[in-house]
Amino acid sequence: KALDKSVAEATQTRKAENAEYRETMASDKSAKELIGVAKNRLSQFYSPKLASEQDKPATPALVQVAAHSAATDAGAPAPPPETWDVYQKKGEESSGV
């Protein structure tokens, strides 16, 4: 009976330690990913030419804008808005200084 009791206690201890270990590993993994993201952003800010292309985030907003503009494009563009008279160069006059 004493052996069974000690085995049960050891099992409970191992289960508790395993749960703690899994929780620690999960938080470590998320911390490493966060550090990687921060490191990539800093490298993009301080040296954008050297930043790796694979680490740059995808830009779905640009894709949506292109898709939206392609969907609403129904032919010729709208005429330009009304402005003042046509631009004319003043000439060689001087206001004098």
Side-chain angles (χ1 to χ4, degrees), residues 57-92:
T59 53
L62 295 177
V63 174
Q64 288 177 343
V65 169
H68 178 68
S69 65
T72 59
D73 190 21
E82 294 293 323
T83 60
W84 296 287
D85 295 333
V86 178
Y87 178 76
Q88 295 176 355
K89 199 169 183 178
K90 276 190 166 182
E92 296 297 319

Side-chain angles (χ1 to χ4, degrees), residues 9-64:
E9 288 175 6
T11 302
Q12 292 297 326
T13 305
R14 282 194 303 270
K15 285 183 179 181
E17 289 173 353
N18 187 22
E20 182 182 349
Y21 171 77
R22 288 180 184 266
E23 182 181 328
T24 303
M25 286 296 117
S27 64
D28 286 351
K29 182 180 178 184
S30 63
K32 287 179 185 178
E33 289 174 0
L34 183 62
I35 289 172
V37 168
K39 197 171 164 183
N40 184 31
R41 285 192 182 174
L42 286 172
S43 68
Q44 285 178 356
F45 180 77
Y46 286 111
S47 57
K49 292 181 181 178
L50 299 178
S52 62
E53 293 293 326
Q54 64 186 2
D55 291 339
K56 289 188 179 179
T59 53
L62 295 177
V63 174
Q64 288 177 343

